Every structure is written in C-alpha cells, then in structure tokens.
C-alpha cells in the first residue's frame, strides 16, 4: 500500500494527463541494426546512423512498426498513414541535433484505456519515435545544476519508443497511478515492451493542473518529469496539485513549465534555468518515407492480440472473484491458474487468497489447477488451517505433488477438536487478565484481546490450529464459562 | 532565428542574411499564391512508402574508433561541457 498523500480541498478538481514512453521489445534500434539492449558497456551499440555521421541514412525497423501498431490497437486507436519528422534541439543526448519522431501524422490516434475501477481514460495518440542517449552529469551531486561536465552514452540513442499521450481525463492521484499501471499491464500482455520503470524502459511524465470543482476549464499545467515508479507518480501528482491550489488561492498563478520530481525531498523543482525559446522547428524527415498500414494488416494484428487485462479481469469477476483481487491476479499473470482452479471446483475467494494475498512464490509452474482446487477444498473443509495451507502450497510449488500427500508428509492434519479445546483452555488459564478483558470487553478491546488469545493458541499449536475455530471456541467459552 | 540555432553573427552578416532570407520568404509566398485546389496533399516528394528493414542485429562500430572521433572521451563515453537546462 502506498501512503496516502494529503489531498486537495474538495472545492478544487485535479486534472491530469500522462505522457508515457515505452521502449519497444525489438532486437535492434529503430533506424539501424545496432542491438537494442539495456546494460551493455557504454557506446558499444552505435553505428554511423545512430551517431548521426554524415552520409548515413535511417531505415525503419519493420518489427518496431508491427509492435507499435499492436500497441495502438490494444489501446483501441485508429491506425493511419504516418510520417516521420525531425524535432530540432540542442542537447548532447542526440548527436544529430534532432530526434526523429512523428509530429502531425502519428501512427495511432484516438483510443481509450479502461482502468481496473471501470473508469476510462482517452488516448490522444501513440506515436513512434527514437529514444535519446543517456547523459550522466559529473560534479558534486550528479545533478544537472551543479554538473562540472557530462558524459554521454549513445547505446540508447535510436532505440524504438512509442509515446502514449492520454487525454486530460484523470481526476485523482489513484487514477493516475492506475492509468500508468494499466498501460504497463497492457504493454507486457501484448509483448510490446517489458515496461520496467526502474530500468527506464517505461517512463512517465504527468501534466498536472487544477480547476475549481465543477468548472470545465483547463488551467495552466506543469509537466512533471523524473517519475521512476508508480509511487513517485502518485506523490508527485499530489504534491503538484497542492502547489497549484496554493498558488491560485494566494491570488497567483502557476507558470507553464517543466518540473522535476525530487524523490528524497518529496517536491517538484522548476526545470528551466531561464526563460527559453521553445521551438523545435519540426519538419518532415526527408530521409524517411511515409508508413502505411492497410486494413488487412490491422485486421491481422487484431486477430493476433491476446486477451487484454481488462477482459481478463472481467473473466475473473464472472467466475466470482472480487474486483480488487481480480486486478492483482491479472497483474501477476495468474488468472489462468485461478480460473482453471475455480473450474475444477475451488472456492474463488479462498483460491485468490492463497494465490495472491499470502504468498509471493516465484515459480508456479509445478502448481496445477486441480492441486490448487484440492488445497482450497481441504482448507474449506477444515482439514488444514490457513497457516498449514500456505505451507502446503509453498511445498507444492517447490516439489509438485498432490496437496493431500504433501500435507501428510508435513505431518499436517487438522487438530482433533478435543486437542484444540485443551489448547484454548491452557491459554485462557495462562492469561486470566486478557481473558477477563475479552469476556467483559466490547468492540475494539474485545477484538484486540481475541487477537491476542488466538495468537497464543496459534503459537502453542505451531500454526496447526484453525484461527476461525479458535475464535469460535473463545466466544463459546465466554458465553458459557 | 539565429538565437534558436545558437549562432552569432556580426551586423554585416545579419544584413546579408536578412536579404537572403527575404528571397526565401518571397519564394514561399510565390508557392503559396499557386492554385492547388486540385492537388492531393502528399507527405513526401518521392512516391515511395513503407521502406523497412528486418529486425536483425548488424555489427556496431568499434568503440575505440568511435571515441577517437570525439574531442574528449572518458570511461567509454563522450565527454561534453556541462549541460545547462534539461533535455527537451
């Protein structure tokens, strides 16, 4: 759970749009045959094309176009004839002094993304462009402003990207996080990108503004960069919203600008050192010809699209899994297992609890749906306590095998009622103060004491007792001591 | 314009370039005056489209050879003056 950020007053409404860059999972760069690989020695994947040497000519990577179209279709976009443009600027992360991108003719436009809570965020466009090189600022703090010099690695220059631009449809911090999370889920589901924020293969910028609640206006926005995790995204959007509200309420107004998220300081910092003219002088790249994707090719892409996260969540919901749990199951890619286990007769809620809530197993390949269903059945029938069930599942994942056999091997069997009663009585006798408070208590205090006493019984029985059964015994004894 | 391109000119040079640019703009005005109602807009002067290559890795350059072209290199990377501001 991420910590809640203090929200803005109800008289204000948050307006957020995201710009998300994802690196496409190709073998080579967008316009040359250099390897697209993260983590190689600096400047070992470079050639005349990505170094912008005179006389070199870019040629589009067919696979990058295919993945970009797949991504666009997964977001419900229309695919149109597109063209590449040069975005001219002076910054050493591109040796050509321009970045090749799509300007007025993007490959994909006008789509939509459904979030786990059912809300929909419009997608304005998803265009193809090349990534830039990586600059490292050398100086006292590694920060831009106190750099003594910079070092540049062009391995990433020319790596294929898709930039997804959402419409400003996001109204809450949670929705902003969910939107980026859902984009990540879609990217990985369709194999377009590994979308790792921590490695930079997915990068999120947020355009944040606020407006009086109920008004339809769009006020001055700030673009927040340097968001390396969904948590940072949430914190930065919340911070920026509060900053804007503070400015408006003080009779001032935010300046339209780029700001950087400072994770350790928990604030955004203005990115521009001075007022600068912003004009990228876009023009069509004369070295590249238009891309057309005909209807047949789009139909082929559509036919090959896997089931998307939203549809998979709906499938789980139809099988009786609660919405929030369904989102988690899909995120972890275990919906196939859960659905099959439910089909094999497992209780949906219990199965999901075992699969996502308690256990973070790395390798589920040995766990069969039938095994999972049998495990849930044993737990439901009271043959295994929750603690034991978890241990059995861990063992099933490690060595395979049928849950009944594993439970027997581990020496698990449900405690005989008499043994359980004895254990409960021993705990009651050993803790008379807590027992009295449990009997006399109401509400929270009673709950607290119940937790304490149950915990003691679990400890005494080394997790063999069933928590619900202990609770039932405690309640019975309190009524009829 | 010179500011955008990070170029510095003397007044004499600016006078000369202003004249040249005026000629370019005049040409643009001539083109704009043409009646093109019957023409279909095209993205590229050549009638080509969809020139792509397969996604196959080809050898990159030797790093020592690459960095030898740089004024200064350090730790396998190009060393450049401190960058003020940020990447666009």
């Amino acid at each position: 759970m991420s910590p809640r950020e203090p929200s803005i007053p109800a008289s204000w409404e948050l307006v957020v749009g995201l710009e998300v860059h994802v690196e496409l999972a190709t073998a080579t760069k967008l316009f040359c045959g250099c390897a697209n690989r993260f983590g190689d020695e600096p400047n070992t994947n470079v050639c005349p094309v990505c170094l912008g040497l005179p006389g070199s000519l870019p040629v589009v990577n067919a696979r990058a176009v295919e993945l970009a179209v797949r991504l666009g279709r997964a977001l419900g976009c229309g695919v149109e004839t597109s063209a590449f443009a040069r975005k001219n600027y002076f910054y050493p992360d591109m040796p050509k002094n321009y970045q090749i991108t799509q300007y007025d003719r993007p490959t994909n436009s006008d789509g939509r993304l459904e979030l786990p809570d059912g809300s929909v965020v419009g997608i304005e466009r998803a265009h193809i462009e090349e990534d830039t090189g990586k600059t490292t600022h050398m100086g006292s703090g590694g920060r831009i402003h106190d750099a003594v010099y910079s070092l540049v690695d062009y391995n990433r220059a020319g790596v294929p990207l898709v930039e997804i631009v959402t419409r400003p449809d996001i109204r809450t911090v949670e929705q902003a996080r969910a939107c980026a999370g859902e984009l990540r889920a879609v990217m990985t589901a369709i194999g377009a990108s590994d979308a790792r924020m921590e490695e930079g293969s997915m990068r999120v910028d947020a355009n944040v503004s606020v407006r009086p609640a109920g008004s339809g206006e769009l006020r001055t926005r700030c673009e927040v960069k340097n968001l390396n995790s969904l948590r940072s995204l949430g914190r930065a959007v919340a911070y920026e919203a509060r900053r804007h509200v503070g400015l408006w309420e003080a009779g001032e107004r935010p300046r339209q600008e780029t700001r950087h998220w400072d994770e350790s300081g928990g604030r955004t910092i203005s990115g521009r050192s001075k007022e600068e003219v912003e004009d990228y002088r876009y023009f069509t790249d004369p070295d590249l010809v238009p891309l057309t994707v005909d209807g047949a090719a789009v139909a082929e892409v559509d036919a090959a699209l896997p089931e998307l996260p939203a549809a998979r969540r709906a499938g789980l919901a139809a099988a009786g899994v609660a919405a929030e749990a369904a989102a988690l199951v899909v995120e972890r890619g275990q919906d196939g297992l859960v659905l099959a286990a439910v089909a094999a007769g497992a209780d949906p809620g219990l199965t999901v609890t075992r699969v996502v809530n308690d256990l973070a197993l790395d390798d589920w390949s040995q766990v069969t749906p039938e095994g999972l269903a049998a495990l849930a059945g044993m737990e439901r029938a009271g043959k295994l306590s929750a603690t034991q069930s978890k241990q059995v599942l861990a063992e099933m994942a490690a060595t395979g095998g049928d849950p009944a056999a594993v439970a027997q091997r581990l020496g698990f069997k449900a405690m005989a009622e008499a043994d359980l009663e004895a254990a409960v009585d021993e705990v009651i006798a050993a803790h008379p103060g807590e027992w009295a408070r449990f009997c006399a208590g109401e509400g929270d205090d009673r709950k607290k004491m119940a937790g304490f006493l149950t915990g003691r019984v679990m400890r005494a029985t080394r997790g063999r007792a069933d928590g619900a059964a202990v609770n039932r015994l405690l309640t019975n004894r309190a009524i009829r001591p | 314009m010179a500011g955008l391109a990070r170029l510095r000119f003397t007044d004499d040079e600016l006078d000369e370039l202003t004249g040249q640019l005026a000629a370019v703009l005049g040409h643009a005005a001539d083109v704009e005056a043409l009646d093109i109602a019957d023409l279909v807009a095209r993205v590229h002067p050549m009638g080509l489209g969809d020139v792509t290559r397969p996604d196959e890795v080809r050898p990159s350059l030797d790093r020592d050879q690459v960095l030898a072209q740089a004024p200064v290199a350090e730790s396998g990377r190009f060393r450049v003056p401190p960058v003020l501001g940020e990447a666009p």
Side-chain angles (χ1 to χ4, degrees), chain A residues 179-202:
Chain A
C179 182
E182 186 65 8
L183 281 172
R184 186 175 62 186
V186 170
M187 294 314 123
T188 53
I190 64 174
S193 174
D194 58 11
R196 291 196 182 119
M197 285 183 88
E198 68 284 6
E199 284 185 2
S201 62
M202 171 168 155

Side-chain angles (χ1 to χ4, degrees), chain B residues 2-61:
Chain B
L4 276 175
R6 312 269 166 101
L7 296 173
R8 253 184 234 124
F9 295 107
T10 63
D11 286 348
D12 285 349
E13 285 169 326
L14 279 178
D15 285 344
E16 189 188 344
L17 286 166
T18 306
Q20 289 177 1
L21 277 173
V24 172
L25 290 174
H27 178 66
D30 288 347
V31 173
E32 272 191 338
L34 295 174
D35 178 10
I36 52 164
D38 295 337
L39 293 181
V40 180
R42 66 199 302 180
V43 176
H44 200 273
M46 296 171 77
L48 274 174
D50 304 313
V51 179
T52 59
R53 62 176 176 86
D55 186 24
E56 286 160 11
V57 176
R58 297 175 60 99
S60 295
L61 293 173

Side-chain angles (χ1 to χ4, degrees), chain A residues 337 361 363-372 393 396-398 400:
Chain A
L337 178 65
L361 292 177
D363 183 8
W364 285 81
S365 56
Q366 303 243 47
V367 179
T368 63
E370 295 74 22
L372 191 58
L393 182 53
M396 285 163 68

